[in-house]
Amino acid sequence: MVAGLSRVVRALGPIGLYAASRGLTRRHPRILMYHRFSSEPRRGFVSSGTLARQLTMIRRHFNPVTLSQLLDIWRSGGKAAPNTIVLTVDDGYRDFHDVAWPLLKRHDVPATLFVTTGFVDGELWLWPDQLAWLLESVQTLPEQVVAPPVQLQRQPGKVWNRSTVWQALVNALLRLPDGEKHSAIAALAAGLGTRLPAAPPSEYAAVSWDQLRQMQLAGLDVGGHTHSHPTLPRVADADLRLEIDHCRERLDAELGPRPRPFCYPNGQPADFSQAVRDRVEKAGFTGAVVAYADGQPHHDLYALRRHAAADSDFQYSKALSGLEWLGQRVRRMVAA
Ligand SMILES: [Zn+2]
């Protein structure tokens, strides 16, 4: 059924369906979510060729603004212009500066970048990247991968490669409190007979404060994404200050005080709570985004839904045109 619908969308999309849904959803600003960029096509990255095509589409049919601009309109009681689009990017990797930023400038499309301040400060690198690096560092993947309390064993008939093991480790470790996560990764490194470098290799490196200053001067909207990228509801009350307030303080100290939005790490429903949401608001962030869309209108400025951008033109066109949001709304109505 879904596959059938998807075939219809693929066939009709180019001849009017996207245009029709753009019209139907013109009053619902879409917030798009990106993570990583590469110059050549690469799994999990949006390549520069794809991004250039996506920005051309945005320029042709939409009204792109930064998230801070949109929040400013809403907070002053205004309405966003029809077909408003916000392009957001998470984490603060250097590839945003090297690959995406020159294209955003060329196409004159503004963007919001959410940075993990401890990552830019050089205090840490992101743990899913540490896992990827560790799995890459061994010549052959062992039949058993142990990151206590997580233990993965190769199963007959199941695909067992770096990418499937990485995904299984990420899913399992995501459920651990931060301290346990880091000791699990240290134990995994020891078990594989290797050591994590203190600073991330260039492939996993962060943007620098200097690069952020230059980009902000040229119009980039820089928001917060915590200090160390933890799962916020699992963070002790005392440490929420470091993750939320200190993140804000670092941004203001390095880039100057100004209104800034926030982005919850991982961004699924279990990754923020009422207490976390209130703390973000109290810290002075002007709004916050999650990492999923569910067909809801934007009724809470601290739980703004986002649509995943992708290297696939089909997924991208659905997200951009509003077709994905419309489909979710219809499903909500049917389920109600
Ligand atoms: Zn993130």
Side-chain angles (χ1 to χ4, degrees), residues 130-131 133-139 185-197:
Q130 297 181 332
L131 291 177
W133 186 90
L134 285 173
L135 296 175
E136 284 297 333
S137 73
V138 289
Q139 214 141 52
I185 292 171
L188 172 68
L192 294 174
T194 180
R195 261 174 89 123
L196 273 175

Side-chain angles (χ1 to χ4, degrees), residues 106-126:
R106 190 176 315 150
H107 291 264
D108 192 24
V109 172
T112 299
L113 178 68
F114 294 110
V115 303
T116 304
T117 46
F119 184 34
V120 184
D121 277 339
E123 291 172 14
L124 54 102
W125 47 311
L126 301 181

Side-chain angles (χ1 to χ4, degrees), residues 68 71 75 222-224 240-241 244-249 251-252 257-262 276-288 301-302:
S68 284
L71 285 164
R75 283 182 170 278
V222 183
L240 275 186
R241 213 208 83 74
I244 298 172
D245 302 57
H246 182 62
C247 166
R248 174 80 210 267
E249 289 156 13
L251 291 169
D252 286 358
R258 59 169 64 202
R260 298 187 187 283
F262 185 83
V276 164
R277 181 212 169 281
D278 293 349
R279 184 83 199 208
V280 168
E281 184 170 11
K282 221 169 124 223
F285 286 106
T286 49
L301 295 189
Y302 289 88

Side-chain angles (χ1 to χ4, degrees), residues 35 90-91 114 116 126 225 229 263-266:
H35 287 90
D90 291 8
D91 301 323
F114 294 110
T116 304
L126 301 181
H225 194 36
H229 208 277
C263 171
Y264 304 106
N266 317 316

